[in-house]
Amino acid sequence: MLSQFALRLPRFGKLCQGWLAVSARTLSKKSTEFDVGPNVSEKDVVVQGNLFNQPGLDKRTREAFQDAVSTYCIKYKNRRGHVEFIYAALKRMKEYGVHRDREVYRALLDVFPQGPMRAQTIWQVELMNYPKQQQCVIDLLEQMEDNAVIPDEDMGRVIRRIFGKWSHAERRFMRMIYWMPKFRHANPYPVPLDPVKDKIELAKVALRRMAVDLQNELSVYNADKIDFTEDNSWIVSAQSPLQRALIETHPEKEPLYVEGPFLAYIREQTVDYFILKADPTADLRERKDAYDKFMNSDDDLFNWDIFSQKKSPYSLLVPPSVHEQDDGTIVGMGITETGTKESLKAWIKHLQDYNHKLSRIPVVFKITDPEVRMKAFEEATSRGSQ
């Protein structure tokens, strides 16, 4: 028995050698076909998203992104590593400018194999059959929600063909398609989805969101129109008629303060703004305390004697306006191009054209250096992390 095996061993060795040679030719042919280097496997190409770095995709456009997805579907017909590829594609969508394109998200859903992962029983549905793949779809839907992209019914049908009915991914889709259209226009101060390239328009958007008074008025002008300044930067000012009335009632001996710059975020963009503020007065504190006492009091909760002539002590109470805050009264907001003291002086000079009493009120500038502010922010962050 051993002798017969010893005689057949050389033939078995030749057979193994021939099989290894065929496998090497197959691998080399596959490497040439898929443009995979000798030190990089096919899965590395999928995981790292190198399909988006091909020489033909130098231009970061929608067509180039779709070509990369189509290339993957053609090269990997068995959808090997489709979860890794989709995660790599989600990270590169903003670079290609397709992070708000619903059709591109639908094309990524088509990468999933349809049929093998469909749940067959209620236990598979509840226990999240194929959790890695379903979580990938949920992450895709969350990125759509973050970019204000509302899915359509076609995407729901694709998800049902992939995982079946009532899967966790489909539940996420059903919640999105129900709530997102309802809240799409609920914001009274909408912010553009795309970045605002014009700095003046960005300043207008920021002031509209921060100035809560519905009668707020915006004015745009250049600082060089003011007589005493040589600064030619633009200035955007926001003030309402109620704020002008507050300036008229402000004592002439009490100063007003220009404070800032403060940081405001408009999605991923930042704006530095300044405020014109007055210190809180004793009358303001009394009115706020009386108003808070009236709003939090339960004395008149069951007092239904509406036929008597007795009046409530709070019947003539004037509530504080939205501009009268605990730390002071805001009588104006502005954004300048340079943020210098000269541009802020031009802003105050412009406000004097609409508030004649402002020329007789002293104005104190309390401007913070941006570097000092950033250093203080870093120190506060470091203390909080400790």
Side-chain angles (χ1 to χ4, degrees), residues 88-235:
L90 291 176
K91 293 181 180 179
R92 306 292 293 273
M93 291 185 73
K94 194 170 184 180
E95 179 183 348
Y96 282 81
V98 294
H99 55 291
R100 294 194 180 96
D101 195 331
R102 184 169 53 193
E103 298 298 328
V104 176
Y105 286 104
R106 187 186 305 170
L108 290 179
L109 277 181
D110 291 334
V111 172
F112 283 91
Q114 300 181 10
M117 296 181 293
R118 188 179 303 171
Q120 303 296 330
T121 63
I122 189 63
W123 294 104
Q124 291 180 347
V125 173
E126 293 299 329
L127 296 177
M128 198 174 183
N129 194 32
Y130 290 92
K132 182 179 179 180
Q133 286 76 9
Q134 289 203 50
Q135 187 61 44
C136 181
V137 175
I138 292 174
D139 293 339
L140 184 145
L141 294 174
E142 287 183 355
Q143 182 165 324
M144 291 180 63
E145 183 179 3
D146 294 339
N147 293 290
V149 180
I150 302 178
D152 55 2
E153 291 292 344
D154 292 339
M155 298 186 70
R157 284 190 284 269
V158 173
I159 293 174
R160 282 190 289 272
R161 286 198 296 265
I162 298 173
F163 301 110
K165 291 184 177 181
W166 299 108
S167 63
H168 289 262
E170 189 190 19
R171 296 177 198 176
R172 184 69 169 85
F173 161 79
M174 294 172 68
R175 290 194 295 268
M176 288 177 60
I177 204 172
Y178 178 80
W179 287 109
M180 289 187 69
K182 295 180 181 296
F183 293 118
R184 184 175 186 178
H185 302 290
N187 188 358
Y189 307 101
V191 178
L193 295 176
D194 297 323
V196 182
K197 298 181 180 179
D198 190 359
K199 298 296 183 181
I200 298 179
E201 292 298 326
L202 181 63
K204 289 182 179 179
V205 172
L207 289 178
R208 287 195 190 100
R209 287 183 59 83
M210 291 185 292
V212 296
D213 196 337
L214 297 179
Q215 296 181 347
N216 180 63
E217 299 174 359
L218 295 179
S219 58
V220 182
Y221 58 96
N222 291 327
D224 56 0
K225 294 183 179 180
I226 308 301
D227 297 336
F228 66 88
T229 183
E230 297 180 357
D231 193 352
N232 60 353
S233 61
W234 52 261
I235 299 174

Side-chain angles (χ1 to χ4, degrees), residues 59-67 96-98 101 103-104:
K59 296 182 179 180
R60 299 297 190 255
T61 60
R62 181 176 185 269
E63 291 75 14
F65 190 90
Q66 289 182 331
D67 290 343
Y96 282 81
V98 294
D101 195 331
E103 298 298 328
V104 176

Side-chain angles (χ1 to χ4, degrees), residues 67-82:
D67 290 343
V69 177
S70 301
T71 302
Y72 169 81
C73 295
I74 293 173
K75 289 184 178 181
Y76 301 92
K77 295 182 179 180
N78 59 351
R79 298 298 191 267
R80 177 186 177 185
H82 61 277

